[in-house]
Amino acid sequence: MPKSPNAFRTISEAAEAVGAPQHVLRFWETKFSFITPVKRGGGRRFYRPQDVVVLKAIRRLLHDEGLTIRGVQRLHKEQGLARLAAYGDGSTPFSMDAVPGEASAVATPDAPADEARLRRLLTEIESARARLDAVLAG
């Protein structure tokens, strides 16, 4: 019988859900003070559902997005745990500047306004390159 979505997870269950080995989860506890599983007698760790979401976010930021441990720590310090956790579901586009859930902060290259803005930027870059080439050739 499967566990309830609200049930606590053992470290092996959490590691499987996150896609990282158990020893990595223990290591992350030493680097990220906001990872605080419940510890029972004998030191057994139990992860709440929100802990698993945060761990998934950390794995994504470190392994998929290329952030360093210090980068994730900075993201947590500057933006808080809620923003960090938003990356745990895998559907939130990552940006160091964008706030998850705010459509205006997430780039959508297929939107007409963004396309026009990108075309203007490309024109400016091409113009600057032409000026630089002229200076270097001169």
Side-chain angles (χ1 to χ4, degrees), residues 20-127:
Q22 295 177 27
H23 69 274
V24 171
L25 270 55
R26 288 194 222 53
F27 173 73
W28 287 347
E29 283 180 44
T30 67
K31 296 298 180 185
F32 306 111
S33 60
F34 50 88
I35 300 176
T36 54
V38 175
K39 291 188 183 175
R40 301 286 180 184
R44 288 197 59 182
R45 292 165 170 81
F46 291 93
Y47 294 87
R48 296 172 290 270
Q50 62 267 31
D51 294 331
V52 175
V53 171
V54 170
L55 291 168
K56 285 179 180 181
I58 291 170
R59 190 205 54 75
R60 176 183 174 195
L61 293 170
L62 292 173
H63 296 276
D64 300 342
E65 304 298 340
L67 266 67
T68 62
I69 288 174
R70 182 161 275 159
V72 175
Q73 290 168 338
R74 192 182 90 216
L75 183 67
H76 172 256
K77 181 180 177 185
E78 292 174 358
Q79 303 297 326
L81 190 59
R83 175 169 181 201
L84 188 117
Y87 298 118
D89 67 3
S91 65
T92 303
F94 174 72
S95 169
M96 285 297 284
D97 300 323
V99 177
E102 287 188 13
S104 62
V106 177
T108 53
D110 58 335
D114 286 342
E115 185 175 338
R117 184 178 59 84
L118 290 172
R119 289 192 187 281
R120 282 193 308 272
L121 288 172
L122 180 60
T123 302
E124 288 177 28
I125 291 169
E126 289 171 342
S127 173

